[in-house]
Amino acid sequence: MYKKRFDLKYMLNPRSVAIIGASSSPNKVGHVILQNYIDAGFPGKLYPVNTKEDAILGLKVYKSVLNIKDGVDLAVIAVPAEIVPKVLEECGKAHVKSVIVVSGGFAEMGRADLQDKIISIATKYGIAMLGPNCLGVMDPRSRVDTLFLPTYKLSKPKIGSVSFVSQSGAVGSTVLDLIAKEGFGLSKFISYGNAAVVDEVDILKYLGDDEDTKVIIMYIEGVKRGKEFIEIGKEVTKKKPVIVLKGGVTEQSASAVHSHTASLSGSFAAYQAVFRQFGFIVADDLSDLLNYAKAFSTEHMPKGNRVAIVTNGGGAGVLETDEIFLNNLTLAEFDKTTLENLRKNLPVIVAVRNPLDLVGDADDKRYETALQAISKDPNVDMIIAIVLFQTPGADSKVVSTLIHYKNITDIPIAALSPGADYTSVHKMMMENSGIPVYDSPAAVAKSFAKLLEHSRYLKDNGKE
Amino acid sequence: MELLDYIKASVLLEKYGIKSIRSSYVSTPEEAIKFAGEKNIVLKLLSSKALHKSKAGLVKVGLFDEKHIRSAFGDLVNKGKELKPYKIVAQEMSFGGIEVIIGSNIDQQFGKMVLIGLGGIYVESFKDTSLRICPITRQDAQDMVDQLKSRDVITHGGKSRDMIVGLILKVAKLVQENDISELDLNPVIIRENGYDVVDIRILK
């Protein structure tokens, strides 16, 4: 049985932060972290801790966390591994509520002994300790940012609804950089490294309860407490979508295998089974993570597998149709009213069928006519609007039309708009208004297929 | 890990409502002939030194008269010289149907799991299997079957789906209530209105 061990709110929404190992030399991790807090406009108290300096970036420096009298919600530890036990002990004595150890040099470097040492200290004082060997956390709402990467190299996501959990720091910062380009924005980022104390189960529980988080995306390599992971996982996946990318797909060594079942149910297969059984949404690579996050963040779920395609390019419609069927979706058959409506209001050059090819000179009026009829069609469960912005009629008025229909219907609507500069401006407009936009026919179809799979899971499990 | 005696294993299955095909140990060709009566039988040599019986030529199928039974028995005894201790089991022969594997294993992180898939000689080539963690609900068991590429083949177009779902649930209950680390029912021959568990391997 899962027992709530920590409250991560002190880590993600602290009133006071001590940065242990803060430094005035700009190439030190402790300097970058302090600078990030200042740059982000962190509204709480900041306490640089360093034994040798008196002032850093204009702030008074403390020799030890024990000298800070007002209480510390979060201590970020960025000192060499050998010194971590000592400063952690001081954090314990100073009743620091949570700690992030960004330093590496523990179990991942063969120093399990050192890791055991800090685990026992954290346990003794009941400190929620994240890491070691991690990037820490980022929360644009509370302006917390422990990432020690130079700001000019990493774009920071805007405030949003998607939270991202990553075991790996490198995958973490890469995906964060990519999220900065997406319309959905970031709620919380948590990189947990070696998971010595706080692990994926604690984090999943916290994000499941967090009201600012609508969608969770995770990169994990393995879990430490399988049973609790299932227990919390199945609770959270019923509340909000959890999209997971699992690293370490290749099978473990062919150690003595005694039965067929054993050889067919290795560790990766077990993870896949858990994800499927308990309602996780499985991503196969990094781009899936973002594509699915985009689709799920609209919170519109399909009721069936019937897709309507509206396009201003015949070929793109054909490619999308192929992907629809490859992903076990199907094309909607428009009902009589829709057909009559479309025949009456569209020019004769438009053949009325699904995919509905509005032809290369289609403008916002034609999209308007099409979406007006299709969005009310009871046979349509999802809509893909293909807008190729290279054509003369496709402009921001088409974008406004799409946004209008997205706002008045519950049916998931996504756009397919591959293209360069002109397109990306319009893409941003749509995404900022909650329409997921994709670059490839496959990405749209896969994302819709996941929406459907998840909506069926919820239905089978008594939700919706 | 210790291999559970074949007949004991079939009795254990029976307790959970899984009937395995009629089997008996035989120590002489005469006993095998008596067991066969008018029916076709299979003779198998069981030894902990031979994990893959059919690959090692330790399964003799379609034995329909005294002459064939005697010669198959002699051949097994010969092969058994290297595999002592061993036992020979005689089984009724199962006809028709599709071979399915139902199994169980323990995952270090998540615990006991149950697997279903296209079985017999197809296991290795197609690896068309699905897996769930115990406890398994009826919904889970249905999903397991529906997830297989060979779904329509093994369920005879849906007709034997409920029976297979039932088998999965029985196996799940069996492994959860007993100290079992691995289990293979492979093959289970699935027909439209019935099944035969033809080979059992249970590791304590």
Side-chain angles (χ1 to χ4, degrees):
Chain A
M1 267 297 286
Y2 174 80
K3 272 201 242 115
K4 187 164 179 176
R5 309 189 299 171
F6 316 105
D7 196 338
L8 300 185
K9 75 176 182 198
Y10 295 108
M11 198 176 281
L12 285 140
N13 198 2
R15 286 159 305 172
S16 51
V17 178
I19 292 156
I20 304 174
S23 162
S24 51
S25 74
N27 54 357
K28 287 274 175 64
V29 167
H31 180 91
V32 180
I33 295 173
L34 182 61
Q35 183 76 61
N36 279 350
Y37 269 93
I38 294 169
D39 290 350
F42 175 65
K45 291 212 171 94
L46 277 176
Y47 302 110
V49 177
N50 183 314
T51 49
K52 295 182 195 104
E53 301 186 52
D54 295 323
I56 302 169
L57 294 167
L59 292 168
K60 183 193 165 190
V61 173
Y62 294 77
K63 298 277 178 229
S64 158
V65 74
L66 285 164
N67 302 343
I68 304 167
K69 295 295 167 217
D70 291 337
V72 172
D73 280 352
L74 168 65
V76 183
I77 299 180
V79 299
E82 296 288 351
I83 310 170
V84 173
K86 179 178 165 282
V87 298
L88 187 62
E89 186 80 44
E90 291 174 359
C91 288
K93 286 183 182 145
H95 306 289
V96 170
K97 296 202 175 69
S98 67
V99 161
I100 298 174
V101 182
V102 300
S103 323
F106 295 87
E108 84 285 0
M109 299 283 280
R111 292 299 306 272
D113 59 314
L114 212 50
Q115 187 156 318
D116 289 343
K117 208 163 169 182
I118 62 171
I119 292 171
S120 72
I121 297 168
T123 313
K124 181 168 79 182
Y125 293 102
I127 309 173
M129 182 181 81
L130 191 70
N133 184 36
C134 71
L135 281 181
V137 300
M138 184 196 279
D139 180 347
R141 266 187 198 83
S142 63
R143 305 190 186 191
V144 166
D145 179 355
T146 68
L147 272 62
F148 47 87
L149 303 166
T151 7
Y152 73 94
K153 287 196 147 186
L154 173 73
S155 306
K156 301 278 166 93
K158 60 175 190 176
I159 295 175
S161 59
V162 176
S163 284
F164 172 40
V165 185
S166 179
Q167 192 157 10
S168 149
V171 169
S173 51
T174 305
V175 172
L176 267 189
D177 201 18
L178 293 168
I179 292 177
K181 288 199 302 182
E182 301 289 344
F184 53 73
L186 181 76
S187 178
K188 315 258 179 326
F189 167 66
I190 303 174
S191 145
Y192 62 97
N194 295 4
V197 174
V198 171
D199 62 17
E200 47 285 315
V201 181
D202 302 307
I203 298 169
L204 199 53
K205 171 77 182 150
Y206 172 77
L207 293 176
D209 294 337
D210 176 39
E211 285 178 7
D212 294 326
T213 299
K214 305 287 182 222
V215 178
I216 300 169
I217 59 181
M218 303 183 89
Y219 171 77
I220 61 173
E221 282 161 13
V223 306
K224 294 210 160 166
R225 295 180 286 156
K227 291 285 179 196
E228 286 96 332
F229 182 76
I230 288 175
E231 189 188 334
I232 297 305
K234 71 178 174 194
E235 198 180 278
V236 176
T237 57
K238 280 176 201 158
K239 288 199 277 192
K240 49 187 85 171
V242 183
I243 303 160
V244 59
L245 174 63
K246 162 90 170 73
V249 171
T250 40
E251 271 317 323
Q252 78 254 51
S253 65
S255 56
V257 169
H258 302 280
S259 62
H260 283 296
T261 303
S263 71
L264 293 164
S265 57
S267 159
F268 181 66
Y271 276 97
Q272 294 299 310
V274 167
F275 295 152
R276 195 158 180 150
Q277 191 170 356
F278 302 108
F280 291 83
I281 297 135
V282 179
D284 295 325
D285 64 19
L286 288 177
S287 57
D288 282 353
L289 264 187
L290 294 164
N291 287 336
Y292 300 167
K294 200 145 74 171
F296 280 96
S297 64
T298 68
E299 298 179 72
H300 287 182
M301 297 298 272
K303 297 200 166 56
N305 66 345
R306 302 163 303 175
V307 181
I309 300 174
V310 180
T311 179
N312 63 350
V318 172
L319 289 172
E320 191 58 72
T321 303
D322 287 343
E323 290 297 338
I324 290 297
F325 286 100
L326 285 172
N327 285 282
N328 298 317
L329 301 170
T330 190
L331 286 180
E333 283 186 37
F334 295 143
D335 83 344
K336 233 178 91 199
T337 323
T338 306
L339 293 171
E340 279 166 13
N341 209 325
L342 293 173
R343 284 200 190 100
K344 203 172 92 192
N345 297 310
L346 287 169
V348 285
I349 48 162
V350 174
V352 174
R353 59 173 178 238
N354 188 15
L356 186 62
D357 182 2
L358 299 174
V359 193
D361 62 345
D363 58 2
D364 58 308
K365 301 273 182 320
R366 244 179 254 174
Y367 275 96
E368 166 83 34
T369 307
L371 290 171
Q372 212 247 349
I374 290 168
S375 63
K376 282 188 289 196
D377 190 319
N379 297 341
V380 173
D381 300 313
M382 294 174 265
I383 299 174
I384 298 174
I386 303 177
V387 187
L388 306 174
F389 282 99
Q390 297 80 7
T391 61
D395 56 15
S396 56
K397 283 184 285 181
V398 173
V399 169
S400 307
T401 307
L402 257 55
I403 293 169
H404 171 71
Y405 283 98
K406 178 254 153 193
N407 286 336
I408 61 167
T409 177
D410 287 338
I411 302 175
I413 298 183
L416 170 66
S417 291
D421 299 348
Y422 183 80
T423 298
S424 54
V425 174
H426 292 85
K427 175 182 161 172
M428 214 54 212
M429 291 188 220
M430 288 192 270
E431 295 217 318
N432 287 338
S433 302
I435 299 178
V437 186
Y438 296 92
D439 292 333
S440 84
V444 195
K446 276 178 85 178
S447 302
F448 269 6
K450 288 291 176 183
L451 286 184
L452 181 64
E453 188 183 305
H454 194 59
S455 102
R456 284 179 173 156
Y457 173 83
L458 294 175
K459 206 173 150 206
D460 289 343
N461 287 276
K463 292 273 160 178
E464 305 219 321
Chain B
M1 277 188 286
E2 173 207 336
L3 182 67
L4 187 62
D5 171 83
Y6 193 91
I7 300 296
K8 279 185 188 155
S10 72
V11 170
L12 179 62
L13 291 181
E14 198 84 39
K15 252 179 75 181
Y16 287 84
I18 305 164
K19 55 181 178 48
S20 43
I21 202 157
R22 190 171 70 94
S23 309
S24 174
Y25 287 126
V26 289
S27 43
T28 60
E30 287 70 28
E31 281 180 34
I33 291 160
K34 195 173 162 223
F35 175 88
E38 298 300 306
K39 298 212 160 110
N40 284 5
I41 64 160
V42 178
L43 287 177
K44 290 177 186 173
L45 184 143
L46 307 177
S47 160
S48 58
K49 288 175 187 148
L51 288 175
H52 294 289
K53 291 190 287 289
S54 48
K55 276 183 200 160
L58 302 177
V59 181
K60 306 284 178 186
V61 300
L63 309 174
F64 60 92
D65 62 16
E66 225 184 287
K67 186 182 134 210
H68 285 91
I69 292 173
R70 278 187 199 284
S71 108
F73 197 97
D75 192 27
L76 288 180
V77 169
N78 224 355
K79 287 194 168 115
K81 282 176 191 156
E82 309 283 308
L83 301 168
K84 281 180 186 166
Y86 68 85
K87 281 179 179 173
I88 293 174
V89 67
Q91 280 186 333
E92 245 176 59
M93 177 91 187
S94 177
F95 288 99
I98 302 291
E99 295 190 340
V100 162
I101 176 172
I102 302 179
S104 176
N105 187 17
I106 300 177
D107 181 77
Q108 269 189 331
Q109 275 303 331
F110 302 115
K112 288 184 174 171
M113 312 183 287
V114 172
L115 170 141
I116 172 105
L118 192 59
I121 56 167
Y122 302 114
V123 171
E124 306 285 344
S125 332
F126 294 121
K127 293 192 168 66
D128 182 22
T129 57
S130 61
L131 191 67
R132 292 294 183 276
I133 313 296
C134 294
I136 290 173
T137 63
R138 181 164 289 272
Q139 177 72 47
D140 291 332
Q142 287 166 349
D143 288 345
M144 287 175 80
V145 176
D146 294 344
Q147 186 190 330
L148 296 174
K149 288 197 186 83
S150 54
R151 170 188 64 226
D152 292 339
V153 178
I154 69 166
T155 63
H156 300 87
K159 290 189 212 94
S160 44
R161 182 171 177 260
D162 286 349
M163 186 179 76
I164 298 172
V165 166
L167 273 173
I168 294 171
L169 293 172
K170 284 172 188 166
V171 168
K173 190 165 155 46
L174 183 153
V175 296
Q176 274 192 283
E177 291 178 0
N178 292 276
D179 179 22
I180 288 172
S181 56
E182 284 179 33
L183 174 149
D184 257 357
L185 308 182
N186 183 33
V188 180
I189 310 256
I190 304 282
R191 289 182 301 271
E192 223 175 283
N193 320 304
Y195 67 88
D196 287 316
V197 175
V198 167
D199 199 31
I200 311 166
R201 169 181 297 279
I202 294 178
L203 291 158
K204 283 275 191 182

